[in-house]
Amino acid sequence: MTPAIVVHGGAGQVEAERHERLRTGVRAAAARGHAILAAGGSALDAVVAAVRVLEDDPEFNAGTGSALTRDGTVEADAAVMDGATRRIGAVAAVPDLGEAVALAREVLEAGEHVLLVGPAAWQFAGERGFHPAPPGALITERARARLAGAGTVGAVARDAAGRFAAATSTGGTNAKRPGRVGDSPLPGCGTWADDRCAISATGHGESIIRAALAHRIAVAIAAGIGPREAARAALAELRALTGREAGAITVDATGWSAIQLSATMPVAWVDGDGAGDHLGDRVP
Ligand code: GLY
């Protein structure tokens, strides 16, 4: 099968002066993930590598540049899911964690649990060689000014063996309560992969959870609906249910889609036809 990767940098409303920086960021992430696929690597390795690029890029709401809690702290949510085995690893509300997708991958590999939360997750993280970010290291001026938005970063991929994987990472919503968990680390909400497709969502987490957005898309794909129509219908249902904004990237065996309800969602991809990027494909 032809490998493909799609990366998003969060659904939202972004000032025009930031557009090019966001597009540059998602392009770099897609290229990093695709290099792994092109070398025969797995979809799982590719999505983790792509999301790590965006966690380290201060333009995005994940890792460095995360949205802050109302206490002015950073608490990370992330998940990674391997469609071929249905293994998933996730972390939520973990303070001072700059590499949340990598820790989620460790949870997946350990295989004992699916989701570790809060400060206690540092016990496992420490055993796996992770260290808390130094005080203030993940906090940017943009986040301090509460401009990070509800963005999230994510990647979905299909590898040459026809396996699918998804990864999502976020600082969550601006001024969230400490301890709040959004959609990103929850299977079937912000992140999903199975033997037919992979999905990473972005937008208002509570609405995505109520809509079980990623799983809705996966169920439609299992019924034979293409990735764009499956995502469009699930997003329209979310909008009707909650009135809030969201977006999703989806890949299956037939192709991929990246669509959102919000004004923008920076997206980059590399597939059999080459590389590309844009600021979104809005659901009418
Ligand atoms: N979609 C990101 C969040 O609400 O946490």
Side-chain angles (χ1 to χ4, degrees), residues 8-11 51-52 54-55 60-69 73-80 91-102 104 138 148-155 167-174 176 180-186 190-191 200-205 208-209:
H8 74 74
V51 168
R52 281 290 302 121
L54 297 177
E55 287 178 336
F60 296 92
N61 176 10
T64 306
S66 285
L68 305 184
T69 68
T73 56
V74 170
E75 292 187 354
D77 289 356
V80 58
V91 295
V94 183
D96 303 319
L97 174 62
E99 304 162 307
V101 76
L138 301 176
T152 289
V153 305
T168 313
S169 181
T170 187
T173 47
N174 277 326
K176 66 183 182 182
R180 178 259 188 191
V181 174
D183 59 294
S184 305
L186 302 182
T191 307
S200 172
T202 168
H204 185 248
I208 294 169
I209 295 167

Side-chain angles (χ1 to χ4, degrees), residues 9-40:
Q13 185 102 31
V14 180
E15 318 84 280
E17 60 97 10
R18 292 184 61 220
H19 286 177
E20 197 43 49
R21 293 202 297 278
L22 294 171
R23 292 177 73 156
T24 300
V26 290
R27 275 199 304 268
R32 177 77 61 86
H34 188 260
I36 290 170
L37 297 175

Side-chain angles (χ1 to χ4, degrees), residues 1-6 37 41-48 80-88 108 155-167 191-200 218 221-222 227 249-257:
M1 203 171 280
T2 311
I5 186 163
V6 188
L37 297 175
S42 70
L44 187 62
D45 285 340
V47 293
V48 171
V80 58
M81 187 161 184
D82 179 34
T85 60
R86 291 277 186 104
R87 291 182 304 158
I88 181 164
L108 181 155
V156 295
R158 179 182 71 216
D159 64 27
R163 297 169 299 193
F164 298 94
T191 307
W192 181 258
D194 59 26
D195 56 351
R196 292 190 178 87
C197 64
I199 298 128
S200 172
I221 286 173
I249 54 174
T250 304
V251 64
D252 74 357
T254 66
W256 58 268
S257 73

